[in-house]
Amino acid sequence: MSEAAAAADVPEFPPPRDRRCPFDPPADLVARNDLPLTKVRQWDGLEPWLITRYDEVRAVLTDRRFSADPRKPGYPEKTEAYGASVGQDRNLRTMDPPEHGEQKRMLIRDFTIKRVDEMKPAIQARVDSLIDDMLAKGPPADIVRDYAVPIPTMVICELLGVPYKDRDFFNHHTEICMSSDHSLEEATGSSQELYDYIDRLLDVKAAEPRNDLLSRLVVEQLLPGVQTRREVVEMARLILMAGHDTTANMVAMGTVALLTHPEQAEIMRGPLSKPELSTAIDELFRYVNVTHTGRRRVATEDVMVGEQLIRAGEGVIVMTNLADRDERVFPAADKLDLWRANARTLMAFGAGDHRCMGAFLSKAEMEIAFATLWRRIPSLKLAVPFEALSFREEGVVYGVRKVPVTWDT
Ligand code: HEM
């Protein structure tokens, strides 16, 4: 086969989604679960391998011969803007062991179940006050603006010790960095704005440390000289960004999923035991899985993945959202089923060294957000036809722009 013919055979990534089924990954990609591994062509002409099956996704993410370091040749960066801004950060997301483990140890205390349990009353109070506001104002409300965005914003502020009054500033710049709607200059500018903002906060924390993650990083890492100022800022910026768009879009998309599956919303209305609620939320994470652009890695040695040899220096796009639709693991995978017995084996938070540090926290936010919303506003429904919703396909995180809702008064 000529080079041109071979190149024409490589499908473009990502293919568009089918707007009629906004929860489903593109059908072309789902079909790959039954095919041998293939390469795809991404925005910069690079042709990484696409990994979609559950077992292979887990195998790659837990294999240290695959590196998460974007400086390595062959690493398939998500977008040009992302590569020039967020992807350039040196932080635990982009480090390999042993450096990665050293960074993770500095944070682990702030992400334990115990710490998350301590935060739950504050999350519940915030969620209740958002619903109080919606009820006081009366319908319609926009779930994205009035509920899904403020919840993780408040949580990140509390966790990091970032002033809540600055939320519009960092939400705006985070959105620009994570979306591919914006130019390279805009993304780099926003990334720098966030950097400078956190950099200034370090002085505030040094002068008056509190019980928050940023203060701990300043007191335990920066002041004794364990970490440089740059390292501390990049770590804090990662957390500010990693936990925000993901959870906000999960709350918004999860709400749409329940509103369009009334029999499942009925289950959420409860009553549900703790384990039942936990399963229901895992299933929402599995079904909606907003991290739709794949985890990115590059092979540092020749590695067999299933039947396929992946050579050193070749990139891989590891699709956790397709793993979560693998019929071998999740029968009737395209069905939302809040009783699904094995929902907790979901891949939405990744696997291996880089598995999401915020998984417990995000799950706590979702449990409180959904249980409270359906308990307090059981008659919640869409205020516009489903077809009028506009989904955000182009960003690093999948989502929906607005969710107008109404309820019986
Ligand atoms: C809907 C909610 C969330 C989803 C679906 C999600 C998903 C993920 C995934 C798939 C990874 C793995 C990245 C990789 O393998 O390259 C990851 C990593 C990470 N997440 Fe999350 N995340 C969520 C919420 C959060 C929250 C709330 C925080 C913190 C406040 C957070 C902090 C992190 C951090 C620090 C990493 C990097 C871990 C490492 O590289 O070792 N995430 N997340």
Side-chain angles (χ1 to χ4, degrees):
M1 196 190 300
S2 73
E3 246 177 58
D9 260 9
V10 178
E12 297 285 333
F13 179 88
R17 284 177 178 253
D18 181 345
R19 284 170 200 276
R20 287 164 307 173
C21 320
F23 298 109
D24 295 346
D28 285 6
L29 296 183
V30 177
R32 302 212 166 262
N33 271 341
D34 297 320
L35 300 171
L37 288 196
T38 44
K39 287 186 171 182
V40 288
R41 185 170 319 107
Q42 62 164 33
W43 62 276
D44 54 358
L46 211 63
E47 292 182 359
W49 293 96
L50 193 73
I51 316 288
T52 63
R53 281 183 278 273
Y54 187 94
D55 289 348
E56 289 166 4
V57 163
R58 180 178 287 288
V60 171
L61 292 179
T62 53
D63 187 332
R64 291 188 172 173
R65 292 172 296 174
F66 287 98
S67 166
D69 185 348
R71 298 172 309 173
K72 294 214 158 79
Y75 180 94
E77 196 49 276
K78 285 180 179 154
T79 63
E80 187 183 19
Y82 200 76
S85 55
V86 187
Q88 289 308 301
D89 281 3
R90 291 285 298 146
N91 57 43
L92 78 162
R93 192 187 68 84
T94 54
M95 286 173 181
D96 294 326
E99 218 183 348
H100 171 265
E102 289 159 18
Q103 295 269 318
K104 199 162 175 168
R105 272 191 292 281
M106 291 173 208
L107 296 178
I108 226 123
R109 199 168 11 142
D110 285 276
F111 289 97
T112 56
I113 297 187
K114 182 169 171 278
R115 176 77 181 111
V116 171
D117 280 346
E118 279 168 17
M119 291 178 73
K120 279 183 180 170
I123 303 174
Q124 182 68 61
R126 178 75 196 153
V127 163
D128 273 320
S129 83
L130 292 170
I131 295 182
D132 289 344
D133 291 349
M134 284 198 280
L135 291 175
K137 241 178 84 204
D142 172 14
I143 286 290
V144 174
R145 182 197 57 205
D146 300 330
Y147 200 59
V149 170
I151 297 172
T153 304
M154 180 281 298
V155 171
I156 291 289
C157 287
E158 170 110 357
L159 179 81
L160 268 178
V162 171
Y164 190 66
K165 67 174 172 44
D166 297 340
R167 63 190 179 279
D168 289 343
F169 168 84
F170 61 75
N171 281 345
H172 171 72
H173 290 296
T174 300
E175 199 274 317
I176 292 180
C177 291
M178 304 284 276
S179 136
S180 51
D181 277 352
H182 301 275
S183 70
L184 186 56
E185 290 70 34
E186 284 174 308
T188 324
S190 283
S191 180
Q192 188 62 43
E193 289 278 355
L194 287 172
Y195 186 98
D196 295 341
Y197 171 74
I198 296 168
D199 187 60
R200 287 194 296 275
L201 265 183
L202 296 190
D203 294 329
V204 178
K205 299 291 173 186
E208 209 180 321
R210 302 232 166 140
N211 180 22
D212 58 54
L213 208 165
L214 207 48
S215 296
R216 269 190 283 287
L217 289 176
V218 168
V219 172
E220 294 170 15
Q221 308 296 328
L222 178 64
L223 298 180
V226 184
Q227 293 265 295
T228 65
R229 206 170 168 96
R230 175 155 211 107
E231 285 168 333
V232 171
V233 174
E234 288 190 351
M235 172 105 81
R237 184 168 53 173
L238 166 70
I239 293 164
L240 189 63
M241 296 177 70
H244 187 265
D245 236 20
T246 42
T247 309
N249 282 302
M250 266 309 304
V251 173
M253 290 290 291
T255 305
V256 179
L258 290 172
L259 290 176
T260 51
H261 294 77
E263 75 298 345
Q264 301 295 312
E266 193 51 46
I267 298 173
M268 190 55 85
R269 262 179 220 112
L272 289 176
S273 67
K274 259 175 119 175
E276 285 169 347
L277 178 61
S278 171
T279 300
I281 296 301
D282 281 340
E283 172 66 355
L284 277 175
F285 274 117
R286 180 199 74 81
Y287 180 75
V288 175
N289 196 331
V290 291
T291 53
H292 69 147
T293 46
R295 321 320 316 159
R296 306 301 173 107
R297 302 288 191 269
V298 57
T300 55
E301 297 174 27
D302 290 357
V303 187
M304 287 300 290
V305 175
E307 311 276 286
Q308 182 62 50
L309 174 67
I310 297 191
R311 295 202 179 276
E314 288 185 330
V316 288
I317 301 182
V318 190
M319 301 296 285
T320 51
N321 61 333
L322 292 170
D324 277 341
R325 294 295 183 104
D326 189 335
E327 290 281 334
R328 297 168 195 84
V329 180
F330 304 108
D334 289 344
K335 202 168 156 259
L336 176 66
D337 172 9
L338 299 193
W339 298 126
R340 189 179 289 277
N342 69 345
R344 64 190 293 273
T345 59
L346 83 174
M347 196 52 82
F349 293 110
D353 290 324
H354 291 277
R355 187 174 191 278
C356 178
M357 290 199 73
F360 293 138
L361 179 59
S362 176
K363 206 173 150 189
E365 291 177 58
M366 291 271 293
E367 285 181 4
I368 294 173
F370 284 106
T372 314
L373 185 63
W374 259 269
R375 176 170 48 77
R376 294 201 50 197
I377 317 185
S379 62
L380 194 75
K381 47 187 164 280
L382 281 175
V384 295
F386 174 67
E387 297 70 36
L389 298 178
S390 159
F391 293 91
R392 272 180 31 184
E393 209 175 310
E394 51 302 305
V396 168
V397 180
Y398 185 56
V400 54
R401 291 189 169 83
K402 274 185 184 172
V403 182
V405 289
T406 185
W407 56 89
D408 301 341
T409 51

